[in-house]
Amino acid sequence: SSDVCSSDLYPVPPGASDIPGLEVAGEIVALGSAVDAWRIGDRVTALVAGGGYAEYATAPAPQCLPVPRGFTMIELLIVMALVVILASVGMTQYKNSVTRAEEATLKENLFRLRDAMDQFYADKNKWPADLAELVSAGYIREVPVDPLTKSKDTWQTKQAEADPNNPSASGGIDDVHSGSDRTSLEGTRYAEWD
């Protein structure tokens, strides 16, 4: 804006400095006798009619505004520490909620697979040879993904023990577990969940 004034399109107002600059910011070093709203040492900013680029400038008291106080280094460090703590707590909560969702899905998948095995045994009087047979026989639509290993192929099946009362039922699988080697939030291994 001072460039416009210096190009003679807008002449400098009468009584204004011919030094360029229409904005100032700094610390008050002297006050007029009628000024009571400000003190020496106050940090202010103001619009002036000219002279803003000078080492010292004058501005009418009503045109001055206080410069907002910044943060000290200690305050910034405290805020940053709080942000890091809150982010850590939030991330831990997020990870725990994801793990709880995976655990709930695992429990549901185990229940459905074991229920399908039991129904297969009740209908055919023998255990399925593998999980794929539960699909081909129509007891489940597809082998579910183990939510912890993110794979359909990591399920650990348990061979059925021979039943002396039903020799035709020998072989096959009668139980299934997760293939994960991780430990649950409660401290038990997922591979041992019943």
Side-chain angles (χ1 to χ4, degrees), residues 87-129:
S88 298
V89 168
M91 192 55 117
T92 301
Q93 290 299 326
Y94 171 75
K95 286 181 179 178
N96 283 348
S97 66
V98 169
T99 301
R100 289 191 194 288
E102 290 173 340
E103 289 179 353
T105 303
L106 176 62
K107 286 179 183 178
E108 179 69 18
N109 287 349
L110 290 172
F111 174 79
R112 297 286 175 210
L113 287 171
R114 290 169 178 158
D115 185 55
M117 288 178 196
D118 291 342
Q119 289 177 15
F120 187 98
Y121 185 84
D123 292 345
K124 302 189 182 284
N125 206 24
K126 66 176 189 161
W127 294 106

Side-chain angles (χ1 to χ4, degrees), residues 7-130:
S7 67
D8 294 332
L9 293 176
Y10 297 98
V12 176
S17 170
D18 60 348
I19 298 174
L22 300 176
E23 302 92 16
V24 296
E27 188 175 301
I28 296 175
V29 295
L31 293 168
S33 60
V35 177
D36 58 0
W38 299 102
R39 302 280 177 256
I40 291 178
D42 286 348
R43 295 182 47 78
V44 296
T45 184
L47 295 175
V48 294
Y53 293 168
E55 186 175 354
Y56 292 94
T58 60
Q63 288 176 221
C64 294
L65 296 170
V67 172
R69 181 175 109 32
F71 293 104
T72 66
M73 187 59 80
I74 297 295
E75 290 169 330
L76 287 174
L77 289 173
I78 290 170
V79 168
M80 291 303 294
L82 290 174
V83 167
V84 168
I85 290 169
L86 291 175
S88 298
V89 168
M91 192 55 117
T92 301
Q93 290 299 326
Y94 171 75
K95 286 181 179 178
N96 283 348
S97 66
V98 169
T99 301
R100 289 191 194 288
E102 290 173 340
E103 289 179 353
T105 303
L106 176 62
K107 286 179 183 178
E108 179 69 18
N109 287 349
L110 290 172
F111 174 79
R112 297 286 175 210
L113 287 171
R114 290 169 178 158
D115 185 55
M117 288 178 196
D118 291 342
Q119 289 177 15
F120 187 98
Y121 185 84
D123 292 345
K124 302 189 182 284
N125 206 24
K126 66 176 189 161
W127 294 106
D130 53 26

